[in-house]
Amino acid sequence: MSEKNSLLKIFVAAGILWRRKWSIAAGTAVFTAAGVAYSLLAPATYVARAVIYPQDISARSESSALGGGLSGALNPMLGVGHLNRVDIILKSREMARRVVVKERLVPVFFPESWDGSKPPRPEERVPRVINSGVGKLRGMISTKVDVYRMTLEITARAGDPKLAFRLVQAYLDGLNERLKENVIRKAMANRDFLEAQMDRTADPVSREKIQELIIRETETAMLLNATAFDLLEAPEVPLLRETPKRKRIVVVSALLGFLVSCLGALAVPMVKNMRAELKTSPI
């Protein structure tokens, strides 16, 4: 009996849907048209990315571009620690500010409120303008650390493919400069400390060892020309947009429109029947 009731309900629903086929077709067409309009009007997003292998360049004598990478490979914890430090540097406001200022990105991010033909007004020199650009840039950049492969991925998303490529390249250049500056700063601090110790030491053997260390730190600061990372995957100007995925949007809109239209077609007679029952039922 229950199976007959179920089949009867299915046939009734099918009959209702068939009678309202044009309404369902119209609803589906409206949703599909809305999906097409959204897919055409939605701003495009292009993605550029680079994959790097950060090397731990330090002021130690055994450190070099090769030595840093080898030490990270032999000591996984050391490599992971350096990888996480590089990730923090990339996500920092200091790195974003460096890129915004060097690449002059404020006019690019806010072209409607920036007139390059006129000298900047006093209020445009206020740090809050740079801070606005920093905030926008940080929202466009993302990083991903792969601890297993000991690599770091830098990704930039922008409405212009050339801008996305430019941002990734600027971050690579800024990261290389930032890590080198850190090494040079440490080498200079170590040299100053060793020179102070030299003045306090009278033993010739100790003075000779300290002199060797001073020379080593000076060479590190002066001859540091290796890159701070291996570029495993160089950034390229993206040719395909990441979003919007127009075909997917149109298909989902059509399916959603068909489903909503069918539910609406079935709900109308149900509502009418409920109203009729309320009118005929005794109070």
Side-chain angles (χ1 to χ4, degrees):
M1 206 50 195
S2 61
E3 292 182 358
K4 291 183 179 180
N5 292 334
S6 299
L7 290 175
L8 181 60
K9 290 179 179 179
I10 291 174
F11 282 119
V12 171
I16 294 173
L17 294 177
W18 178 252
R19 288 194 300 271
R20 298 183 176 273
K21 57 182 179 295
W22 297 115
S23 298
I24 295 173
T28 304
V30 170
F31 272 80
T32 304
V36 172
Y38 174 78
S39 65
L40 293 176
L41 296 177
T45 301
Y46 294 88
V47 178
R49 59 173 51 89
V51 179
I52 63 174
Y53 176 80
Q55 300 173 348
D56 191 4
I57 300 179
S58 66
R60 298 189 303 271
S61 61
E62 70 274 15
S63 291
S64 63
L66 175 62
L70 182 60
S71 63
L74 297 178
N75 189 347
M77 294 305 297
L78 177 63
V80 171
H82 180 64
L83 193 66
N84 289 331
R85 287 196 300 272
V86 173
D87 184 45
I88 293 173
I89 291 174
L90 284 172
K91 293 179 179 178
S92 66
R93 291 186 63 85
E94 187 271 336
M95 177 59 68
R97 182 183 297 274
R98 178 190 293 254
V99 173
V100 167
V101 173
K102 184 176 180 180
E103 296 292 323
R104 299 180 180 178
L105 293 177
V106 172
V108 177
F109 290 158
F110 312 108
E112 67 283 352
S113 59
W114 189 277
D115 188 357
S117 62
K118 299 179 181 178
R121 300 188 301 271
E123 59 269 20
E124 291 176 343
R125 301 189 185 99
V126 179
R128 68 179 179 83
V129 179
I130 301 297
N131 291 336
S132 299
V134 168
K136 186 174 180 64
L137 177 60
R138 295 182 74 189
M140 301 168 67
I141 299 294
S142 61
T143 60
K144 180 181 178 182
V145 173
D146 190 333
V147 177
Y148 178 74
R149 296 181 178 180
M150 299 294 293
T151 59
L152 194 151
E153 180 181 292
I154 308 172
T155 303
R157 288 175 170 83
D160 181 11
K162 293 183 179 179
L163 177 59
F165 169 79
R166 177 183 172 187
L167 294 180
V168 175
Q169 191 61 56
Y171 260 78
L172 292 176
D173 295 339
L175 176 63
N176 194 41
E177 294 174 1
R178 171 69 171 75
L179 294 178
K180 285 184 177 182
E181 289 172 1
N182 190 43
V183 172
I184 294 173
R185 185 167 53 252
K186 289 182 178 179
M188 292 293 96
N190 292 339
R191 189 191 66 177
D192 294 341
F193 173 78
L194 291 171
E195 289 177 348
Q197 296 300 315
M198 174 76 78
D199 297 336
R200 302 175 184 175
T201 303
D203 180 46
V205 177
S206 298
R207 290 178 62 88
E208 183 178 354
K209 292 182 178 180
I210 293 175
Q211 185 64 36
E212 292 177 358
L213 293 175
I214 293 175
I215 294 174
R216 187 180 304 163
E217 299 294 345
T218 304
E219 289 177 347
T220 299
M222 295 178 61
L223 304 178
L224 182 63
N225 55 10
T227 57
F229 51 80
D230 286 335
L231 186 58
L232 303 182
E233 182 179 339
E236 296 180 353
V237 178
L239 301 178
L240 300 177
R241 64 181 180 275
E242 183 185 49
T243 58
K245 299 184 182 300
R246 291 174 178 168
K247 292 182 179 179
R248 182 181 300 178
I249 292 174
V250 173
V251 171
V252 171
S253 299
L255 293 176
L256 181 61
F258 179 75
L259 178 61
V260 172
S261 299
C262 290
L263 292 177
L266 294 175
V268 169
M270 292 177 59
V271 172
K272 289 182 178 180
N273 292 336
M274 291 176 61
R275 288 181 177 179
E277 291 178 358
L278 290 175
K279 289 180 179 180
T280 57
S281 61
I283 300 176

